[in-house]
Amino acid sequence: MLNRRKFLTIGGASAVGAALASLPRFSSVAALPLAKPDLTLRIAPVSVEIAPGKIIKTVGYNGKAPGPILRMREGKRVTVDVRNDTDVDELVHWHGQFVSPAVDGSEEEGTPFVPAHGSRQYTFSPGPAGSRWYHTHTMAMDHLDRGGFTGQFGFFLC
């Protein structure tokens, strides 16, 4: 049920979000010193047995599809090293998290890509708590072996 307090909270959050959206965005965070990562995600080709004897080649995280379950504590700053061992630029979106556009992992928000055969760090304070998922936000276009058509997703608990 939506009471007055929740309505004002949601309205206030929307106003803050609109104000933040108008701020200039930075296309790179490379000038920041690299922190010691709490977690590492490696985007790379994987083979997955989807039925007995039926193996497909796709892309996953840390040698698996779906990727590993990540555990984070709400409000505790986390640094994730993302290494991209594919031939295409990638993005990792932290679904359901209230994070800045620099680390949101969506191209439309202005997040810098993880370059092909390169790496990037995502540092953020997770929240709100709950069962969430992370996944690629790279557009597949007409490539049925990229983006949301791959095994590039995993779950995280916050």
Side-chain angles (χ1 to χ4, degrees):
M1 181 170 156
L2 186 64
N3 61 28
R4 182 174 181 261
R5 180 173 290 167
K6 285 182 183 176
F7 176 78
L8 292 174
T9 301
I10 292 169
S14 298
V16 169
L20 289 175
S22 67
L23 294 175
R25 295 195 174 123
F26 301 97
S27 61
S28 174
V29 292
L32 298 175
L34 294 179
K36 181 180 177 204
D38 300 296
L39 302 163
T40 300
L41 283 179
R42 181 176 160 258
I43 304 167
V46 298
S47 295
V48 178
E49 186 171 19
I50 59 172
K54 180 64 175 166
I55 297 173
I56 62 166
K57 293 185 183 300
T58 188
V59 179
Y61 293 111
N62 292 8
K64 301 195 245 181
I69 296 173
L70 305 180
R71 288 171 168 71
M72 302 175 190
R73 181 165 255 139
E74 182 179 24
K76 183 179 180 203
R77 193 172 175 91
V78 64
T79 298
V80 183
D81 246 353
V82 178
R83 299 179 186 183
N84 181 4
D85 292 338
T86 70
D87 294 329
V88 296
D89 294 346
E90 279 291 345
L91 290 165
V92 179
H93 175 63
W94 310 100
H95 202 89
Q97 293 297 289
F98 298 150
V99 296
S100 75
V103 297
D104 182 64
S106 55
E107 183 178 8
E108 58 273 19
E109 292 294 327
T111 305
F113 281 86
V114 181
H117 302 287
S119 63
R120 181 171 188 278
Q121 280 192 338
Y122 292 85
T123 299
F124 59 93
S125 296
S131 299
R132 309 283 183 219
W133 67 307
Y134 59 96
H135 59 93
T136 182
H137 239 246
T138 304
M139 297 298 165
M141 307 310 266
D142 59 348
H143 297 277
L144 296 180
D145 59 347
R146 292 189 192 158
F149 298 110
T150 68
Q152 286 177 255
F153 70 94
F155 300 97
F156 73 91
L157 307 174
C158 173

